[in-house]
Amino acid sequence: MSLPIPLMTIGLLLLANVFMTFAWYGHLKHPGASLITVIFISWGIAFFEYVLQVPANRIGYGYFNAAQLKTIQEIITLSVFAVFSIFWLKEPLSWNHFVGFAFIAAGGFFIFHKW
């Protein structure tokens, strides 16, 4: 039995974003590491993001249009980053972050609403 397309798409995008968030921001916790080292490690981590991201978009396209896929991606990215920021970087988010994220999520409403 196959999972529904929206569930597969969103699940793969969620996993892809975990990898990409670590690829882009994980090294910030290690400021003493050389730049070339973190670039290559980040590329290695990003490979797994692409292994998940590309199939997510291929599976989801047709059920979702491209703008909807990108909107899902961005909302997931902010959600993953918020958790990452708090638990990995130990940087708390304040009210203004949540207001900004809410405005971006509101943009999702306009993308997905049938007018």
Side-chain angles (χ1 to χ4, degrees), residues 30-77:
H30 308 283
S34 74
L35 183 57
I36 193 70
T37 299
V38 298
I39 288 171
F40 281 109
I41 291 171
S42 292
W43 279 355
I45 296 169
F47 169 79
F48 295 102
E49 183 265 345
Y50 278 84
V51 167
L52 298 166
Q53 180 82 25
V54 172
N57 288 329
R58 297 274 289 207
I59 291 165
Y61 188 67
Y63 186 91
F64 299 109
N65 63 40
Q68 290 172 326
L69 281 170
K70 185 60 179 169
T71 301
I72 294 166
Q73 161 69 22
E74 294 304 326
I75 292 170
I76 289 172
T77 296

Side-chain angles (χ1 to χ4, degrees), residues 21-33 35 38 42 81 84 88-89 91:
T21 300
F22 273 96
W24 285 0
Y25 302 105
H27 62 88
L28 297 178
K29 202 168 177 180
H30 308 283
L35 183 57
V38 298
S42 292
F81 181 78
F84 178 87
W88 179 259
L89 296 176
E91 293 183 6

